[in-house]
PDB file of all heavy atoms in Angstrom:
ATOM      1  N   ILE W 168     148.271  75.072  14.465  1.00  0.00           N
ATOM      2  CA  ILE W 168     148.109  76.501  14.901  1.00  0.00           C
ATOM      3  C   ILE W 168     149.011  77.352  14.057  1.00  0.00           C
ATOM      4  O   ILE W 168     148.602  78.410  13.574  1.00  0.00           O
ATOM      5  CB  ILE W 168     148.451  76.573  16.397  1.00  0.00           C
ATOM      6  CG1 ILE W 168     147.488  75.809  17.264  1.00  0.00           C
ATOM      7  CG2 ILE W 168     148.404  78.074  16.816  1.00  0.00           C
ATOM      8  CD1 ILE W 168     147.919  75.644  18.707  1.00  0.00           C
ATOM      9  N   GLY W 337     137.318  71.018  18.483  1.00  0.00           N
ATOM     10  CA  GLY W 337     138.635  71.237  17.952  1.00  0.00           C
ATOM     11  C   GLY W 337     138.673  72.386  16.957  1.00  0.00           C
ATOM     12  O   GLY W 337     139.572  73.257  16.946  1.00  0.00           O
ATOM     13  N   LYS W 338     137.687  72.413  16.106  1.00  0.00           N
ATOM     14  CA  LYS W 338     137.572  73.488  15.088  1.00  0.00           C
ATOM     15  C   LYS W 338     137.442  74.833  15.769  1.00  0.00           C
ATOM     16  O   LYS W 338     138.050  75.815  15.439  1.00  0.00           O
ATOM     17  CB  LYS W 338     136.416  73.208  14.163  1.00  0.00           C
ATOM     18  CG  LYS W 338     136.257  74.174  13.010  1.00  0.00           C
ATOM     19  CD  LYS W 338     135.132  73.726  12.070  1.00  0.00           C
ATOM     20  CE  LYS W 338     134.968  74.650  10.834  1.00  0.00           C
ATOM     21  NZ  LYS W 338     134.413  75.973  11.236  1.00  0.00           N
ATOM     22  N   ALA W 339     136.554  74.869  16.751  1.00  0.00           N
ATOM     23  CA  ALA W 339     136.283  76.101  17.470  1.00  0.00           C
ATOM     24  C   ALA W 339     137.490  76.589  18.282  1.00  0.00           C
ATOM     25  O   ALA W 339     137.768  77.816  18.304  1.00  0.00           O
ATOM     26  CB  ALA W 339     135.076  75.948  18.406  1.00  0.00           C
ATOM     27  N   VAL W 340     138.244  75.630  18.855  1.00  0.00           N
ATOM     28  CA  VAL W 340     139.480  76.017  19.552  1.00  0.00           C
ATOM     29  C   VAL W 340     140.440  76.646  18.585  1.00  0.00           C
ATOM     30  O   VAL W 340     140.988  77.729  18.868  1.00  0.00           O
ATOM     31  CB  VAL W 340     140.119  74.767  20.250  1.00  0.00           C
ATOM     32  CG1 VAL W 340     141.545  75.079  20.668  1.00  0.00           C
ATOM     33  CG2 VAL W 340     139.264  74.339  21.481  1.00  0.00           C
ATOM     34  N   LEU W 341     140.690  75.997  17.449  1.00  0.00           N
ATOM     35  CA  LEU W 341     141.640  76.540  16.499  1.00  0.00           C
ATOM     36  C   LEU W 341     141.278  77.872  15.964  1.00  0.00           C
ATOM     37  O   LEU W 341     142.063  78.807  15.864  1.00  0.00           O
ATOM     38  CB  LEU W 341     141.818  75.506  15.370  1.00  0.00           C
ATOM     39  CG  LEU W 341     142.888  75.826  14.346  1.00  0.00           C
ATOM     40  CD1 LEU W 341     144.257  76.006  15.005  1.00  0.00           C
ATOM     41  CD2 LEU W 341     142.959  74.794  13.240  1.00  0.00           C
ATOM     42  N   GLU W 342     139.981  78.059  15.700  1.00  0.00           N
ATOM     43  CA  GLU W 342     139.495  79.368  15.176  1.00  0.00           C
ATOM     44  C   GLU W 342     139.698  80.463  16.226  1.00  0.00           C
ATOM     45  O   GLU W 342     140.102  81.633  15.847  1.00  0.00           O
ATOM     46  CB  GLU W 342     138.030  79.224  14.749  1.00  0.00           C
ATOM     47  CG  GLU W 342     137.787  78.407  13.503  1.00  0.00           C
ATOM     48  CD  GLU W 342     136.316  78.225  13.195  1.00  0.00           C
ATOM     49  OE1 GLU W 342     135.494  78.504  14.081  1.00  0.00           O
ATOM     50  OE2 GLU W 342     136.043  77.824  12.074  1.00  0.00           O
ATOM     51  N   ASP W 343     139.462  80.155  17.473  1.00  0.00           N
ATOM     52  CA  ASP W 343     139.669  81.194  18.447  1.00  0.00           C
ATOM     53  C   ASP W 343     141.097  81.529  18.715  1.00  0.00           C
ATOM     54  O   ASP W 343     141.453  82.689  18.951  1.00  0.00           O
ATOM     55  CB  ASP W 343     138.981  80.741  19.813  1.00  0.00           C
ATOM     56  CG  ASP W 343     138.782  81.953  20.719  1.00  0.00           C
ATOM     57  OD1 ASP W 343     137.921  82.729  20.481  1.00  0.00           O
ATOM     58  OD2 ASP W 343     139.588  82.013  21.694  1.00  0.00           O
ATOM     59  N   LEU W 344     141.947  80.491  18.568  1.00  0.00           N
ATOM     60  CA  LEU W 344     143.394  80.782  18.732  1.00  0.00           C
ATOM     61  C   LEU W 344     143.935  81.705  17.615  1.00  0.00           C
ATOM     62  O   LEU W 344     144.682  82.600  17.795  1.00  0.00           O
ATOM     63  CB  LEU W 344     144.201  79.482  18.747  1.00  0.00           C
ATOM     64  CG  LEU W 344     144.057  78.638  19.977  1.00  0.00           C
ATOM     65  CD1 LEU W 344     144.791  77.316  19.817  1.00  0.00           C
ATOM     66  CD2 LEU W 344     144.579  79.363  21.222  1.00  0.00           C
ATOM     67  N   VAL W 345     143.406  81.462  16.374  1.00  0.00           N
ATOM     68  CA  VAL W 345     143.797  82.339  15.312  1.00  0.00           C
ATOM     69  C   VAL W 345     143.356  83.765  15.533  1.00  0.00           C
ATOM     70  O   VAL W 345     144.096  84.738  15.263  1.00  0.00           O
ATOM     71  CB  VAL W 345     143.180  81.812  13.956  1.00  0.00           C
ATOM     72  CG1 VAL W 345     143.390  82.825  12.831  1.00  0.00           C
ATOM     73  CG2 VAL W 345     143.748  80.452  13.567  1.00  0.00           C
TER      74      VAL W 345
END
Side-chain angles (χ1 to χ4, degrees):
I168 298 170
K338 182 175 185 290
V340 166
L341 186 57
E342 288 175 347
D343 195 73
L344 289 174
V345 172

